[in-house]
Structure formats: structure tokens, C-alpha cells
Amino acid sequence: MRTNRALAVSAVAFAAVGLAAPTAAAWDNPSNITAMPSVIARGGQLSVTVDGCPQGGSMTSTAFPQARLSPVSGNNETSKGTATINSSANPGSYDITVHCSGKTLTKPQAFTVIGGVRGGLGGSSSTGATPTDIAIGGGLVGLALIGGGVFWMRRRSENKI
């Protein structure tokens, strides 16, 4: 009976160690790349957090130059970094590749770059009025003048009666 208990306890211990070993080994591999914000304008600051990267590393993308990942204090398994999106980056989705502890992980479509804002123009274009715009505006002003003249002439004839 004692040998059965001893065998059962040792089997449970081996199973616990066997299940914990892959989990411990997984912490040495970068995982769970998070980019914030997920939608960003050109020239903006992108913050990237990587789990399973205890000693820091680097990150790259076609939207920004290589940036450094530094370990987060208080969390032994996470690293964080900041990258500035190139002002020449085309709008669209971009991947992030992380190099950490000799391992590489790529997160496809990790963030989206949107076109820059044309500040100071109020949303208007810099080309000005088109010939069609001028024709429409001139026609409306002409109709207003004709309508005002007709109204004035009718009022004037009513006063003579």
C-alpha cells in the first residue's frame, strides 16, 4: 500500500515537472507582440510590448527604422520599445519583426499607417476654385440680381396705382 502511494506521488510530481518544462522554455521565446495604437499617422510614436523577452532586443518594420526593446522593470518576462513611423511611410498595414534572446517572431499586420493630416487648410484643397465652381457661383449671383430687379420693378409699379 505504501509503494502505491509513493508511486502515485512520484507520478504526479513527474507530470507536474513535465507540464511545467515546456511553459518555462516558452518564456525564452518572444510572443504576444502588441502595438499601440493599432492605427497611427505618419510621424507618430508607436509603442510595442513583447512578452517572453526578458533581456530586451530589437524590433523592425518597413514603416520605421530598427528600434530597441528594453526590459520592463517589475516584469521579468516583458520588454517594451517605442518607434517613430517614417514620414514617408505609405498608408496600409505593416508587420513587426522582433529579435529577442536569439529568436525571431513576426506579427503580420500589427498596425496600420494612415495618411497624414493637412493641418491648417480646414480640409480644403490647395488648388482653389475650378472653372465649374466659378460658373455656378456667377450664375447664382446673376439669378439673384435678376430676381431682385424683377421684385423691385413690381413693387415700383404697385406704388403708382
mmCIF file of all heavy atoms in Angstrom, residues 54-99:
data_model
loop_
_atom_site.group_PDB
_atom_site.id
_atom_site.type_symbol
_atom_site.label_atom_id
_atom_site.label_comp_id
_atom_site.label_asym_id
_atom_site.label_seq_id
_atom_site.Cartn_x
_atom_site.Cartn_y
_atom_site.Cartn_z
ATOM 1 N N PRO A 54 12.814 38.582 -21.856
ATOM 2 C CA PRO A 54 13.280 39.102 -20.574
ATOM 3 C C PRO A 54 14.517 39.992 -20.648
ATOM 4 O O PRO A 54 14.732 40.808 -19.761
ATOM 5 C CB PRO A 54 13.578 37.837 -19.764
ATOM 6 C CG PRO A 54 13.877 36.794 -20.792
ATOM 7 C CD PRO A 54 13.021 37.136 -21.970
ATOM 8 N N GLN A 55 15.314 39.876 -21.703
ATOM 9 C CA GLN A 55 16.557 40.643 -21.757
ATOM 10 C C GLN A 55 16.532 41.766 -22.787
ATOM 11 O O GLN A 55 17.558 42.376 -23.071
ATOM 12 C CB GLN A 55 17.720 39.692 -22.058
ATOM 13 C CG GLN A 55 17.880 38.654 -20.970
ATOM 14 C CD GLN A 55 18.794 37.521 -21.408
ATOM 15 O OE1 GLN A 55 19.145 37.408 -22.570
ATOM 16 N NE2 GLN A 55 19.160 36.688 -20.457
ATOM 17 N N GLY A 56 15.376 42.045 -23.354
ATOM 18 C CA GLY A 56 15.287 43.087 -24.370
ATOM 19 C C GLY A 56 15.717 42.563 -25.722
ATOM 20 O O GLY A 56 16.003 41.386 -25.891
ATOM 21 N N GLY A 57 15.747 43.442 -26.696
ATOM 22 C CA GLY A 57 16.118 43.054 -28.045
ATOM 23 C C GLY A 57 15.887 44.205 -28.993
ATOM 24 O O GLY A 57 16.079 45.369 -28.636
ATOM 25 N N SER A 58 15.435 43.889 -30.189
ATOM 26 C CA SER A 58 15.167 44.937 -31.179
ATOM 27 C C SER A 58 13.924 44.577 -31.974
ATOM 28 O O SER A 58 13.487 43.427 -31.993
ATOM 29 C CB SER A 58 16.360 45.106 -32.114
ATOM 30 O OG SER A 58 16.548 43.931 -32.873
ATOM 31 N N MET A 59 13.368 45.608 -32.630
ATOM 32 C CA MET A 59 12.194 45.397 -33.476
ATOM 33 C C MET A 59 12.395 46.169 -34.769
ATOM 34 O O MET A 59 13.045 47.214 -34.792
ATOM 35 C CB MET A 59 10.927 45.861 -32.764
ATOM 36 C CG MET A 59 10.914 47.313 -32.390
ATOM 37 S SD MET A 59 9.394 47.739 -31.544
ATOM 38 C CE MET A 59 9.826 49.335 -30.876
ATOM 39 N N THR A 60 11.859 45.626 -35.842
ATOM 40 C CA THR A 60 11.973 46.263 -37.144
ATOM 41 C C THR A 60 10.651 46.174 -37.883
ATOM 42 O O THR A 60 9.816 45.318 -37.591
ATOM 43 C CB THR A 60 13.058 45.592 -38.013
ATOM 44 O OG1 THR A 60 12.726 44.217 -38.172
ATOM 45 C CG2 THR A 60 14.430 45.731 -37.408
ATOM 46 N N SER A 61 10.497 47.093 -38.825
ATOM 47 C CA SER A 61 9.345 47.113 -39.721
ATOM 48 C C SER A 61 9.726 47.955 -40.922
ATOM 49 O O SER A 61 10.673 48.753 -40.854
ATOM 50 C CB SER A 61 8.126 47.708 -39.014
ATOM 51 O OG SER A 61 7.045 47.821 -39.918
ATOM 52 N N THR A 62 9.007 47.813 -42.003
ATOM 53 C CA THR A 62 9.275 48.662 -43.163
ATOM 54 C C THR A 62 8.740 50.070 -42.944
ATOM 55 O O THR A 62 9.073 50.975 -43.704
ATOM 56 C CB THR A 62 8.651 48.063 -44.434
ATOM 57 O OG1 THR A 62 7.259 47.839 -44.207
ATOM 58 C CG2 THR A 62 9.335 46.757 -44.805
ATOM 59 N N ALA A 63 7.939 50.275 -41.894
ATOM 60 C CA ALA A 63 7.383 51.595 -41.612
ATOM 61 C C ALA A 63 8.254 52.421 -40.668
ATOM 62 O O ALA A 63 8.042 53.620 -40.534
ATOM 63 C CB ALA A 63 5.989 51.463 -41.006
ATOM 64 N N PHE A 64 9.212 51.789 -39.993
ATOM 65 C CA PHE A 64 10.096 52.531 -39.084
ATOM 66 C C PHE A 64 11.469 51.873 -39.050
ATOM 67 O O PHE A 64 11.612 50.694 -39.347
ATOM 68 C CB PHE A 64 9.507 52.644 -37.670
ATOM 69 C CG PHE A 64 9.206 51.324 -36.993
ATOM 70 C CD1 PHE A 64 10.200 50.594 -36.357
ATOM 71 C CD2 PHE A 64 7.911 50.848 -36.948
ATOM 72 C CE1 PHE A 64 9.922 49.397 -35.718
ATOM 73 C CE2 PHE A 64 7.618 49.651 -36.314
ATOM 74 C CZ PHE A 64 8.627 48.929 -35.697
ATOM 75 N N PRO A 65 12.504 52.651 -38.694
ATOM 76 C CA PRO A 65 13.841 52.062 -38.592
ATOM 77 C C PRO A 65 13.928 51.145 -37.366
ATOM 78 O O PRO A 65 13.062 51.172 -36.500
ATOM 79 C CB PRO A 65 14.762 53.274 -38.438
ATOM 80 C CG PRO A 65 13.892 54.360 -37.917
ATOM 81 C CD PRO A 65 12.503 54.089 -38.426
ATOM 82 N N GLN A 66 14.993 50.367 -37.305
ATOM 83 C CA GLN A 66 15.171 49.450 -36.178
ATOM 84 C C GLN A 66 15.134 50.228 -34.872
ATOM 85 O O GLN A 66 15.730 51.290 -34.736
ATOM 86 C CB GLN A 66 16.492 48.709 -36.296
ATOM 87 C CG GLN A 66 16.702 47.693 -35.199
ATOM 88 C CD GLN A 66 17.929 46.826 -35.458
ATOM 89 O OE1 GLN A 66 18.574 46.933 -36.473
ATOM 90 N NE2 GLN A 66 18.230 45.965 -34.509
ATOM 91 N N ALA A 67 14.384 49.678 -33.904
ATOM 92 C CA ALA A 67 14.247 50.315 -32.592
ATOM 93 C C ALA A 67 14.575 49.295 -31.513
ATOM 94 O O ALA A 67 14.487 48.085 -31.709
ATOM 95 C CB ALA A 67 12.829 50.846 -32.403
ATOM 96 N N ARG A 68 14.957 49.792 -30.364
ATOM 97 C CA ARG A 68 15.405 48.958 -29.240
ATOM 98 C C ARG A 68 14.232 48.574 -28.355
ATOM 99 O O ARG A 68 13.339 49.372 -28.097
ATOM 100 C CB ARG A 68 16.433 49.750 -28.435
ATOM 101 C CG ARG A 68 16.960 49.046 -27.227
ATOM 102 C CD ARG A 68 18.485 48.917 -27.307
ATOM 103 N NE ARG A 68 18.994 48.184 -26.176
ATOM 104 C CZ ARG A 68 19.120 46.861 -26.177
ATOM 105 N NH1 ARG A 68 18.758 46.174 -27.207
ATOM 106 N NH2 ARG A 68 19.612 46.234 -25.134
ATOM 107 N N LEU A 69 14.252 47.351 -27.874
ATOM 108 C CA LEU A 69 13.315 46.865 -26.860
ATOM 109 C C LEU A 69 14.064 46.760 -25.545
ATOM 110 O O LEU A 69 15.133 46.149 -25.486
ATOM 111 C CB LEU A 69 12.756 45.487 -27.243
ATOM 112 C CG LEU A 69 11.809 45.436 -28.432
ATOM 113 C CD1 LEU A 69 11.571 43.987 -28.856
ATOM 114 C CD2 LEU A 69 10.500 46.103 -28.088
ATOM 115 N N SER A 70 13.528 47.335 -24.496
ATOM 116 C CA SER A 70 14.160 47.307 -23.176
ATOM 117 C C SER A 70 13.289 46.523 -22.211
ATOM 118 O O SER A 70 12.059 46.613 -22.265
ATOM 119 C CB SER A 70 14.339 48.731 -22.646
ATOM 120 O OG SER A 70 15.133 49.476 -23.535
ATOM 121 N N PRO A 71 13.911 45.771 -21.288
ATOM 122 C CA PRO A 71 13.122 45.033 -20.301
ATOM 123 C C PRO A 71 12.288 45.981 -19.440
ATOM 124 O O PRO A 71 12.730 47.065 -19.074
ATOM 125 C CB PRO A 71 14.180 44.319 -19.452
ATOM 126 C CG PRO A 71 15.425 44.330 -20.270
ATOM 127 C CD PRO A 71 15.349 45.540 -21.135
ATOM 128 N N VAL A 72 11.088 45.543 -19.120
ATOM 129 C CA VAL A 72 10.196 46.322 -18.261
ATOM 130 C C VAL A 72 10.535 45.991 -16.817
ATOM 131 O O VAL A 72 10.566 44.813 -16.439
ATOM 132 C CB VAL A 72 8.719 45.996 -18.561
ATOM 133 C CG1 VAL A 72 7.794 46.699 -17.588
ATOM 134 C CG2 VAL A 72 8.376 46.358 -19.996
ATOM 135 N N SER A 73 10.804 47.007 -16.003
ATOM 136 C CA SER A 73 11.130 46.757 -14.596
ATOM 137 C C SER A 73 9.887 46.261 -13.867
ATOM 138 O O SER A 73 8.781 46.749 -14.091
ATOM 139 C CB SER A 73 11.655 48.034 -13.936
ATOM 140 O OG SER A 73 10.686 49.047 -13.974
ATOM 141 N N GLY A 74 10.066 45.287 -13.025
ATOM 142 C CA GLY A 74 8.957 44.712 -12.268
ATOM 143 C C GLY A 74 8.312 43.536 -12.991
ATOM 144 O O GLY A 74 7.558 42.792 -12.407
ATOM 145 N N ASN A 75 8.579 43.372 -14.274
ATOM 146 C CA ASN A 75 8.060 42.233 -15.023
ATOM 147 C C ASN A 75 9.241 41.591 -15.736
ATOM 148 O O ASN A 75 9.755 42.126 -16.708
ATOM 149 C CB ASN A 75 6.997 42.686 -16.026
ATOM 150 C CG ASN A 75 6.295 41.516 -16.665
ATOM 151 O OD1 ASN A 75 6.790 40.396 -16.660
ATOM 152 N ND2 ASN A 75 5.125 41.778 -17.225
ATOM 153 N N ASN A 76 9.663 40.446 -15.255
ATOM 154 C CA ASN A 76 10.898 39.811 -15.740
ATOM 155 C C ASN A 76 10.789 39.247 -17.147
ATOM 156 O O ASN A 76 11.788 38.890 -17.732
ATOM 157 C CB ASN A 76 11.302 38.692 -14.781
ATOM 158 C CG ASN A 76 11.635 39.236 -13.423
ATOM 159 O OD1 ASN A 76 11.995 40.390 -13.280
ATOM 160 N ND2 ASN A 76 11.510 38.390 -12.410
ATOM 161 N N GLU A 77 9.605 39.139 -17.703
ATOM 162 C CA GLU A 77 9.437 38.456 -18.987
ATOM 163 C C GLU A 77 8.975 39.369 -20.113
ATOM 164 O O GLU A 77 8.717 38.905 -21.208
ATOM 165 C CB GLU A 77 8.426 37.310 -18.828
ATOM 166 C CG GLU A 77 8.785 36.315 -17.755
ATOM 167 C CD GLU A 77 10.126 35.631 -18.001
ATOM 168 O OE1 GLU A 77 10.507 35.471 -19.164
ATOM 169 O OE2 GLU A 77 10.789 35.274 -17.020
ATOM 170 N N THR A 78 8.849 40.676 -19.883
ATOM 171 C CA THR A 78 8.302 41.583 -20.886
ATOM 172 C C THR A 78 9.295 42.678 -21.230
ATOM 173 O O THR A 78 9.996 43.188 -20.367
ATOM 174 C CB THR A 78 6.992 42.223 -20.363
ATOM 175 O OG1 THR A 78 6.082 41.175 -20.033
ATOM 176 C CG2 THR A 78 6.352 43.115 -21.401
ATOM 177 N N SER A 79 9.336 43.025 -22.512
ATOM 178 C CA SER A 79 10.146 44.151 -22.977
ATOM 179 C C SER A 79 9.246 45.116 -23.734
ATOM 180 O O SER A 79 8.201 44.734 -24.274
ATOM 181 C CB SER A 79 11.270 43.678 -23.904
ATOM 182 O OG SER A 79 12.210 42.944 -23.170
ATOM 183 N N LYS A 80 9.685 46.377 -23.769
ATOM 184 C CA LYS A 80 8.869 47.419 -24.387
ATOM 185 C C LYS A 80 9.776 48.367 -25.145
ATOM 186 O O LYS A 80 10.912 48.618 -24.747
ATOM 187 C CB LYS A 80 8.101 48.171 -23.301
ATOM 188 C CG LYS A 80 7.078 49.136 -23.827
ATOM 189 C CD LYS A 80 6.256 49.707 -22.673
ATOM 190 C CE LYS A 80 5.149 50.576 -23.235
ATOM 191 N NZ LYS A 80 4.292 51.099 -22.192
ATOM 192 N N GLY A 81 9.273 48.913 -26.248
ATOM 193 C CA GLY A 81 10.035 49.871 -27.030
ATOM 194 C C GLY A 81 9.122 50.845 -27.743
ATOM 195 O O GLY A 81 7.915 50.632 -27.856
ATOM 196 N N THR A 82 9.715 51.935 -28.219
ATOM 197 C CA THR A 82 8.973 52.964 -28.941
ATOM 198 C C THR A 82 9.660 53.216 -30.275
ATOM 199 O O THR A 82 10.887 53.293 -30.343
ATOM 200 C CB THR A 82 8.937 54.270 -28.122
ATOM 201 O OG1 THR A 82 8.354 53.994 -26.850
ATOM 202 C CG2 THR A 82 8.100 55.332 -28.819
ATOM 203 N N ALA A 83 8.849 53.361 -31.320
ATOM 204 C CA ALA A 83 9.376 53.624 -32.656
ATOM 205 C C ALA A 83 8.605 54.784 -33.265
ATOM 206 O O ALA A 83 7.422 54.971 -32.992
ATOM 207 C CB ALA A 83 9.236 52.398 -33.539
ATOM 208 N N THR A 84 9.288 55.580 -34.082
ATOM 209 C CA THR A 84 8.656 56.688 -34.787
ATOM 210 C C THR A 84 8.401 56.264 -36.226
ATOM 211 O O THR A 84 9.324 55.850 -36.934
ATOM 212 C CB THR A 84 9.553 57.941 -34.761
ATOM 213 O OG1 THR A 84 9.806 58.285 -33.390
ATOM 214 C CG2 THR A 84 8.894 59.103 -35.467
ATOM 215 N N ILE A 85 7.157 56.377 -36.658
ATOM 216 C CA ILE A 85 6.768 55.984 -38.010
ATOM 217 C C ILE A 85 7.386 56.970 -39.006
ATOM 218 O O ILE A 85 7.345 58.181 -38.796
ATOM 219 C CB ILE A 85 5.236 55.966 -38.159
ATOM 220 C CG1 ILE A 85 4.596 55.058 -37.115
ATOM 221 C CG2 ILE A 85 4.827 55.548 -39.564
ATOM 222 C CD1 ILE A 85 5.022 53.614 -37.187
ATOM 223 N N ASN A 86 7.976 56.446 -40.072
ATOM 224 C CA ASN A 86 8.584 57.290 -41.104
ATOM 225 C C ASN A 86 7.536 58.235 -41.711
ATOM 226 O O ASN A 86 6.397 57.831 -41.930
ATOM 227 C CB ASN A 86 9.173 56.436 -42.235
ATOM 228 C CG ASN A 86 10.327 55.594 -41.772
ATOM 229 O OD1 ASN A 86 11.042 55.961 -40.848
ATOM 230 N ND2 ASN A 86 10.522 54.456 -42.412
ATOM 231 N N SER A 87 7.950 59.466 -41.980
ATOM 232 C CA SER A 87 7.022 60.417 -42.591
ATOM 233 C C SER A 87 6.739 60.051 -44.041
ATOM 234 O O SER A 87 5.762 60.514 -44.615
ATOM 235 C CB SER A 87 7.597 61.831 -42.506
ATOM 236 O OG SER A 87 8.835 61.886 -43.182
ATOM 237 N N SER A 88 7.552 59.188 -44.617
ATOM 238 C CA SER A 88 7.349 58.757 -45.998
ATOM 239 C C SER A 88 6.638 57.403 -46.093
ATOM 240 O O SER A 88 6.513 56.854 -47.190
ATOM 241 C CB SER A 88 8.690 58.678 -46.717
ATOM 242 O OG SER A 88 9.519 57.729 -46.073
ATOM 243 N N ALA A 89 6.174 56.858 -44.971
ATOM 244 C CA ALA A 89 5.506 55.556 -44.983
ATOM 245 C C ALA A 89 4.187 55.646 -45.741
ATOM 246 O O ALA A 89 3.412 56.585 -45.548
ATOM 247 C CB ALA A 89 5.264 55.074 -43.556
ATOM 248 N N ASN A 90 3.947 54.667 -46.592
ATOM 249 C CA ASN A 90 2.690 54.628 -47.342
ATOM 250 C C ASN A 90 1.565 54.138 -46.444
ATOM 251 O O ASN A 90 1.785 53.289 -45.578
ATOM 252 C CB ASN A 90 2.825 53.689 -48.542
ATOM 253 C CG ASN A 90 3.781 54.232 -49.580
ATOM 254 O OD1 ASN A 90 3.871 55.435 -49.774
ATOM 255 N ND2 ASN A 90 4.498 53.344 -50.236
ATOM 256 N N PRO A 91 0.349 54.637 -46.635
ATOM 257 C CA PRO A 91 -0.781 54.126 -45.857
ATOM 258 C C PRO A 91 -0.982 52.629 -46.113
ATOM 259 O O PRO A 91 -0.799 52.145 -47.228
ATOM 260 C CB PRO A 91 -1.967 54.934 -46.390
ATOM 261 C CG PRO A 91 -1.366 56.186 -46.939
ATOM 262 C CD PRO A 91 -0.034 55.774 -47.483
ATOM 263 N N GLY A 92 -1.323 51.907 -45.052
ATOM 264 C CA GLY A 92 -1.563 50.468 -45.163
ATOM 265 C C GLY A 92 -1.141 49.730 -43.908
ATOM 266 O O GLY A 92 -0.690 50.333 -42.933
ATOM 267 N N SER A 93 -1.280 48.415 -43.933
ATOM 268 C CA SER A 93 -0.933 47.561 -42.791
ATOM 269 C C SER A 93 0.535 47.163 -42.865
ATOM 270 O O SER A 93 1.061 46.929 -43.945
ATOM 271 C CB SER A 93 -1.797 46.305 -42.786
ATOM 272 O OG SER A 93 -3.149 46.649 -42.578
ATOM 273 N N TYR A 94 1.169 47.069 -41.690
ATOM 274 C CA TYR A 94 2.589 46.730 -41.612
ATOM 275 C C TYR A 94 2.823 45.638 -40.583
ATOM 276 O O TYR A 94 2.119 45.555 -39.577
ATOM 277 C CB TYR A 94 3.415 47.960 -41.229
ATOM 278 C CG TYR A 94 3.545 48.956 -42.344
ATOM 279 C CD1 TYR A 94 2.620 49.973 -42.499
ATOM 280 C CD2 TYR A 94 4.591 48.872 -43.250
ATOM 281 C CE1 TYR A 94 2.725 50.889 -43.530
ATOM 282 C CE2 TYR A 94 4.719 49.782 -44.282
ATOM 283 C CZ TYR A 94 3.777 50.792 -44.417
ATOM 284 O OH TYR A 94 3.897 51.684 -45.443
ATOM 285 N N ASP A 95 3.841 44.806 -40.846
ATOM 286 C CA ASP A 95 4.269 43.751 -39.928
ATOM 287 C C ASP A 95 5.327 44.307 -38.979
ATOM 288 O O ASP A 95 5.995 45.284 -39.295
ATOM 289 C CB ASP A 95 4.897 42.583 -40.694
ATOM 290 C CG ASP A 95 3.958 41.992 -41.732
ATOM 291 O OD1 ASP A 95 2.749 42.268 -41.672
ATOM 292 O OD2 ASP A 95 4.456 41.252 -42.596
ATOM 293 N N ILE A 96 5.469 43.662 -37.835
ATOM 294 C CA ILE A 96 6.558 43.959 -36.906
ATOM 295 C C ILE A 96 7.340 42.669 -36.693
ATOM 296 O O ILE A 96 6.752 41.620 -36.416
ATOM 297 C CB ILE A 96 6.055 44.477 -35.550
ATOM 298 C CG1 ILE A 96 5.358 45.820 -35.698
ATOM 299 C CG2 ILE A 96 7.209 44.593 -34.556
ATOM 300 C CD1 ILE A 96 4.776 46.347 -34.400
ATOM 301 N N THR A 97 8.668 42.739 -36.821
ATOM 302 C CA THR A 97 9.544 41.601 -36.553
ATOM 303 C C THR A 97 10.371 41.907 -35.313
ATOM 304 O O THR A 97 11.003 42.958 -35.236
ATOM 305 C CB THR A 97 10.470 41.319 -37.747
ATOM 306 O OG1 THR A 97 9.661 41.049 -38.891
ATOM 307 C CG2 THR A 97 11.367 40.128 -37.472
ATOM 308 N N VAL A 98 10.341 40.991 -34.347
ATOM 309 C CA VAL A 98 11.043 41.158 -33.076
ATOM 310 C C VAL A 98 12.203 40.177 -33.024
ATOM 311 O O VAL A 98 12.041 38.993 -33.352
ATOM 312 C CB VAL A 98 10.076 40.921 -31.897
ATOM 313 C CG1 VAL A 98 10.815 40.901 -30.591
ATOM 314 C CG2 VAL A 98 8.987 41.978 -31.875
ATOM 315 N N HIS A 99 13.374 40.658 -32.633
ATOM 316 C CA HIS A 99 14.566 39.830 -32.416
ATOM 317 C C HIS A 99 14.871 39.884 -30.927
ATOM 318 O O HIS A 99 15.195 40.942 -30.395
ATOM 319 C CB HIS A 99 15.751 40.353 -33.222
ATOM 320 C CG HIS A 99 15.442 40.505 -34.682
ATOM 321 N ND1 HIS A 99 15.406 39.444 -35.544
ATOM 322 C CD2 HIS A 99 15.131 41.604 -35.415
ATOM 323 C CE1 HIS A 99 15.102 39.875 -36.742
ATOM 324 N NE2 HIS A 99 14.926 41.181 -36.701
#
